[in-house]
Amino acid sequence: ILQFVNDHKGTIVDSGTTDTFITHKVAKPFTLAWERITGRKYNNRLQKYTFEQFDELPVITFELEGGISWEITPEAYMEEDPTSSGASSPKVSNNSKTN
């Protein structure tokens, strides 16, 4: 992933942030992988999942320099909509702004 995001501007990892944005340079491959694995189009809108469907969502893994893997479970990247039974929306956005 480094080859796609290393534009020599640096990267900030803020563990206090509730949303994650990925660079537009990897948005398309991410979206295609999501669709292949889940069978659903990726978007940031509210989606309904059964418990079984939610349980099958993938762990998203970022491979960082130095052999570090950052694994994000569905419980961390999806958030439940308390107003709609069984609905969740992703916290991972591929709508990043380009500089």
Side-chain angles (χ1 to χ4, degrees):
I1 192 169
L2 186 61
Q3 66 186 357
F4 298 107
V5 298
N6 188 7
D7 56 9
H8 305 289
K9 294 181 183 178
T11 301
I12 297 172
V13 177
D14 179 0
S15 62
T17 302
T18 57
D19 294 324
T20 302
F21 294 88
I22 58 175
T23 177
H24 69 282
K25 295 175 185 176
V26 296
K28 179 129 181 148
F30 177 87
T31 300
L32 292 173
W34 178 270
E35 291 172 5
R36 182 176 42 80
I37 293 166
T38 67
R40 291 178 174 228
K41 295 272 186 197
Y42 183 85
N43 64 63
N44 296 352
R45 292 183 295 274
L46 189 65
Q47 300 176 36
K48 288 197 177 234
Y49 290 89
T50 64
F51 175 79
E52 291 78 15
Q53 290 170 322
F54 186 88
D55 198 42
E56 292 295 320
L57 290 174
V59 172
I60 297 173
T61 304
F62 292 98
E63 297 289 334
L64 306 176
E65 192 173 301
I68 299 169
S69 292
W70 177 22
E71 294 186 347
I72 308 171
T73 62
E75 295 83 4
Y77 67 75
M78 298 291 281
E79 55 189 3
E80 184 178 358
D81 179 1
T83 64
S84 180
S85 177
S88 299
S89 58
K91 296 180 190 177
V92 178
S93 175
N94 61 10
N95 295 331
S96 61
K97 295 180 182 177
T98 59
N99 293 331

